Amino acid sequence: MQAHTSSAPAAAGAATATPYVNIAAYKFITLDNLEDLRPQYQAQCARLSLKGTILLTPEGINMFLSGLRADIDQYLAWVRSDARLADLEVKESLSSEQSHKRMLVKIKKEIITMRMPLIKPEEGRAPFVEAHTLKRWLDQGHDDAGKPVVMVDTRNDFEVDVGTFDNTVDYRIKKFTEFPEVIAAHKADFEGKTVVTFCTGGIRCEKAAIHMQNIGYNNVYQLEGGILKYFEEVGGAHYTGDCFVFDYRTALNPQLEAVETTQCFACRAVVTPREQLSEQYVYGVSCPHCYGKQAAA
């Protein structure tokens, strides 16, 4: 099950109403000229008035950017002119203003920190399942071999609290570096089942699935493109809530529209519009999730 799909273009009417295009993309590929690449990316993003974050690492690239359609298209054409990134796939959403407020191009050790140097997705991915196939599996209650399907969320706990797949396994991790140990400790729980790992855009679940294969999981897949691709392809079937994103929008619903939430500066919890009406919500100080806890600590 190794067929890639490309993002569908936005409808013309939607693009007119919401002119900014927000893209998320990554690729695991060896990049050995990071110091040369960084100023090139900075110059291109400045020229095209893009905002967001680009991570350049020895294991590949990760980007979240926002800009006008023509500028995003120019940028992607430039990125794909690098033969190493010619097949870069992109997930899109639209908004009425740029989803990021500044532009950063950083050099990091990993696209997403896991501290498992032997995991090299470029050398071979774990099997993946695409959105339509996963929905069919969840509709029928088993995979095509008749095995029960178990969803495993690889995101941090505060992200999961915003929304996740129904009946998902959530280990309440605080950071991704905790995942390898906790999934190894629960290996027996998944005997005879098909495991599907997932995350926001695909990066964490790609590393997670490879690690699980390495420690002896036999039937593990990653959700191709993560939650955002699932929303784009099939909507919110079998999913409850929204998807946390790391930009000013805070969360997207299954229609890839921003929802009216904010993030607490103190505890990082997502605060809903109703919770923002509480006296315990003080911008930059506290929210109903953490009010009084700091003082008690």
Side-chain angles (χ1 to χ4, degrees):
M1 188 180 303
Q2 299 276 344
H4 291 282
T5 59
S6 58
S7 298
T16 300
T18 52
Y20 286 98
V21 179
N22 309 295
I23 61 169
Y26 76 94
K27 185 178 180 182
F28 286 105
I29 189 72
T30 298
L31 298 176
D32 53 9
N33 57 334
L34 303 182
E35 295 294 344
D36 294 332
L37 285 176
R38 185 167 183 258
Q40 295 176 36
Y41 275 86
Q42 288 173 321
Q44 287 294 325
C45 291
R47 181 178 69 84
L48 297 168
S49 300
L50 303 183
K51 300 290 180 63
T53 301
I54 298 172
L55 301 182
L56 300 171
T57 80
E59 68 176 4
I61 188 171
N62 184 23
M63 63 184 75
F64 298 90
L65 295 172
S66 182
L68 298 175
R69 166 63 68 186
D71 297 327
I72 288 289
D73 288 346
Q74 283 189 52
Y75 168 78
L76 289 174
W78 174 78
V79 171
R80 289 167 174 152
S81 68
D82 183 335
R84 298 171 296 185
L85 302 172
D87 59 351
L88 182 75
E89 294 191 17
V90 174
K91 295 168 285 294
E92 291 188 359
S93 62
L94 302 173
S95 60
S96 58
E97 58 183 296
Q98 283 185 290
S99 59
H100 295 264
K101 303 304 182 184
R102 58 179 178 168
M103 185 64 234
L104 298 173
V105 182
K106 300 179 180 180
I107 295 176
K108 295 283 190 178
K109 292 181 180 179
E110 297 179 72
I111 290 180
I112 182 70
T113 302
M114 193 180 193
R115 297 183 186 143
M116 301 290 290
L118 296 180
I119 295 178
K120 298 180 179 180
E122 181 186 3
E123 296 179 359
R125 301 182 64 188
F128 59 79
V129 58
E130 294 181 337
H132 287 284
T133 300
L134 176 61
K135 179 182 179 299
R136 177 166 55 79
W137 286 359
L138 296 176
D139 286 344
Q140 64 195 23
H142 55 79
D143 68 6
D144 293 334
K147 294 182 178 180
V149 175
V150 181
M151 304 295 294
V152 174
D153 203 324
T154 66
R155 299 173 299 159
N156 298 337
D157 53 5
F158 70 91
E159 299 172 75
V160 179
D161 290 341
V162 178
T164 190
F165 282 95
D166 299 336
N167 304 312
T168 196
V169 174
D170 164 28
Y171 290 116
R172 303 275 80 193
I173 63 175
K174 301 295 183 183
K175 52 188 176 180
F176 189 50
T177 51
E178 298 174 6
F179 183 81
E181 181 177 355
V182 72
I183 200 66
H186 290 85
K187 183 180 173 183
D189 298 346
F190 301 98
E191 290 293 334
K193 301 174 183 177
T194 290
V195 181
V196 178
T197 65
F198 67 93
C199 58
T200 307
I203 299 174
R204 280 175 282 187
C205 54
E206 182 157 350
K207 280 193 168 185
I210 293 174
H211 172 70
M212 291 171 70
Q213 281 192 318
N214 289 348
I215 63 174
Y217 278 80
N218 295 319
N219 297 293
V220 59
Y221 295 84
Q222 64 202 52
L223 173 57
E224 178 72 347
I227 299 167
L228 295 181
K229 191 66 174 178
Y230 185 90
F231 281 177
E232 181 182 330
E233 296 286 339
V234 300
H238 304 287
Y239 191 99
T240 299
D242 305 306
C243 179
F244 181 90
V245 291
F246 290 91
D247 59 52
Y248 90 90
R249 297 171 297 173
T250 305
L252 301 181
N253 63 23
Q255 292 74 48
L256 296 174
E257 301 165 337
V259 297
E260 295 181 358
T261 61
T262 189
Q263 188 177 21
C264 176
F265 178 82
C267 71
R268 300 181 72 189
V270 172
V271 187
T272 66
R274 180 178 294 276
E275 290 170 333
Q276 292 171 40
L277 298 175
S278 168
E279 293 181 356
Q280 297 176 350
Y281 176 66
V282 180
Y283 179 78
V285 178
S286 67
C287 75
H289 299 275
C290 67
Y291 182 80
K293 293 181 181 178
Q294 289 113 330

